[in-house]
Every structure is written in C-alpha cells, then in structure tokens.
Amino acid sequence: MTVVAYICGALALLPLLAVLSYVIFKGFSSLSLSVFTELPPAPLRKGGGFGNAILGTLLMVGIGATISIPFGVLAAIYLTEFSSSKVARWIRFATNILSGVPSIIAGVFAYGIVVLTLVKLNLGSYSAFGGGFALAILMLPTILRTTDEALQLVSQDLRQASVGLGATKFQTVAQVVLPAALPAIVTGSTLAIARASGETAPLLFTALFSSFWPSGLFQPTASLAVLVYNFAVSPFQNWQSLAWAASLILVLMVLITSIIARWATRQKA
C-alpha cells in the first residue's frame, strides 16, 4: 500500500509538472526585457511586450484585495466573536455557496452592477474598477473562510486571560485574538490573491482589454489572463510568443504569492 500511495502521488504531480515544464520551455524562449516595458505590437511585427497587462493585472488585483480583505476579515470577526451560532451557521453556509459559484457568474454580476451603472452615469463602461470588483467577489469567500477558521483556532484561554485582566471585548479581539491569527489571515489573503490573478472570464465582462497603458480606473484595462486568451488563439506568431511569455509571468506571480503564504504559515509555526 505504501508503494501504491507513492505511485498515486507521482501520478497526481505528473500533470502539474507537465504543464509547468511546457510553459517554462515555451515562455523562456519568448522572454526578454522588452516584454516588461513595451506595449503589445501590431500583427507580424517583431518586438513589443505586455507591460500594460502586467500593470493592469496588479491594479485590478490590488482593487480586489482592497475591497475584499477588510470586508472578509471584519465579517469573520463578527462570525467568530459577536454573532449567535444560528446566524453564524447560515452565513458560513452562504459563504460556502459563494465559493462554489463559477467565476463567469461573478463577471456577469459585476457587469450588471458596475459596467451598466457606469454607462448610465456617463462615466465609462468597461474599466479596471469593474474588473477589481469582480475579482473581489471571487476573493471574498476564501478570505472569510480562512480568517474564520484561524480565529476559531485561537485558544479560549487567551480570551479568558485578556478578559480577566480587565480588557473589553473589542480590546481582546484587536490586541489578542487578531495578532495570534494574523499569519493564517495573511495566508488566506495571499491564496485569494493567487486565485484572482489568473481569472479570465470575469475580466472579459468587466475590464475587457486595451493595447495601451492604463489611464484611469474607469477605462478598459489590459490583464495578463485576457492577453493570453486573446493572443494564444491568434494566427500571428509574434502574438503567440507573447502569450507564452505572459503565461510564464502569470505562473511566476502565482508562485510568488504561494511562497508568501507558505512563509506566513511557517512563521506561525
């Protein structure tokens, strides 16, 4: 059974290693310094890059994190420390449902809430803000669930000791419970960011794409995922090469956020 377990583990890693090796092989051959600093080129033209897509991805993920992390952490604090067991049970059930909603549904929802509203207000249509809003919807359940579990793992003895020393409920949560759970909260946030970085469908409905540098929060904005989607299926060799390079950069971004999450978990230990 030990041999069978090792074989199953190797077979589970095989698709991951195959995908990574292929992306690294194809991506490194197309990687250069210009891809970080230049705009996408015209078809059949050599050179160019996708610096605008990198900046747009960071911008929209940053907007999503700015919206989802405070709401997720505060909601988890309410569930764990202040709500009744019945209310907490229903909110956790709703969070589990939201985490299983396909990303394209989040994109359609953000399109109806943000894009159409901007059109009615004559402020634009597709935008970086709409893309960040869609990513925030996808990030929220992951942040809420991990923070909720982290707060539940904090020992009750710490809470009782804080109350015994005369601290209020707010002081106990802010100065005792949250610092103890902070590494796990950082882990959940970085995992949510890693997931949002590679989403394509929500951004097609909200941010669309642009061949220029981001000029504002309410303008169409490029992203790495959408660039890969557009360029990989194009008939032009130079665009296909940029798609492989963008795929490699996207994988590296997810890898870096995963390493940060592992580092935070190790610091907790």
Side-chain angles (χ1 to χ4, degrees):
M1 292 305 299
T2 301
V3 174
V4 173
Y6 275 110
I7 293 175
C8 292
L11 292 176
L13 290 175
L14 188 60
L16 174 63
L17 295 177
V19 171
L20 288 179
S21 60
Y22 195 72
V23 170
I24 291 173
F25 174 76
K26 299 287 287 188
F28 265 120
S29 62
S30 307
L31 204 60
S32 64
L33 184 61
S34 63
V35 302
F36 298 97
T37 59
E38 298 182 7
L39 295 173
L44 303 177
R45 180 182 175 184
K46 293 183 179 180
F50 44 81
N52 60 331
I54 296 176
L55 185 59
T57 298
L58 296 176
L59 177 63
M60 287 184 283
V61 172
I63 293 173
T66 302
I67 296 174
S68 60
I69 291 177
F71 278 100
V73 172
L74 291 175
I77 292 174
Y78 170 76
L79 287 179
T80 307
E81 306 295 333
F82 299 102
S83 69
S84 63
S85 58
K86 185 176 181 180
V87 173
R89 183 168 62 251
W90 280 107
I91 294 179
R92 291 186 179 110
F93 177 72
T95 302
N96 292 333
I97 295 176
L98 182 60
S99 63
V101 171
S103 60
I104 193 171
I105 303 301
V108 173
F109 174 77
Y111 175 83
I113 296 297
V114 178
V115 177
L116 296 183
T117 301
L118 291 177
V119 172
K120 292 179 181 179
L121 297 177
N122 293 323
L123 295 176
S125 56
Y126 300 99
S127 63
F129 179 78
F133 181 81
L135 296 181
I137 296 174
L138 298 175
M139 296 167 64
L140 183 60
T142 302
I143 296 172
L144 199 157
R145 290 176 62 185
T146 54
T147 304
D148 182 29
E149 294 174 0
L151 294 176
Q152 292 184 61
L153 291 176
V154 176
S155 175
Q156 290 293 334
D157 294 339
L158 291 177
R159 294 179 173 87
Q160 294 172 0
S162 177
V163 174
L165 291 174
T168 63
K169 184 72 171 179
F170 176 80
Q171 291 173 328
T172 300
V173 172
Q175 301 179 16
V176 177
V177 178
L178 273 180
L182 185 60
I185 295 174
V186 173
T187 301
S189 300
T190 52
L191 291 176
I193 290 173
R195 180 200 173 184
S197 300
E199 290 293 344
T200 306
L203 301 183
L204 288 173
F205 282 92
T206 53
L208 205 59
F209 190 75
S210 173
S211 297
F212 306 99
W213 294 102
S215 58
L217 296 181
F218 298 103
Q219 299 294 328
T221 306
S223 62
L224 286 172
V226 177
L227 182 139
V228 172
Y229 172 79
N230 290 336
F231 283 15
V233 296
S234 70
F236 308 111
Q237 183 64 37
N238 63 328
W239 282 9
Q240 294 176 8
S241 299
L242 285 179
W244 283 113
S247 301
L248 178 60
I249 298 301
L250 196 56
V251 169
L252 291 178
M253 291 175 62
V254 174
L255 176 63
I256 291 172
T257 53
S258 299
I259 291 174
I260 293 175
R262 296 285 295 177
W263 179 81
T265 305
R266 183 178 180 183
Q267 289 297 107
K268 180 182 179 180

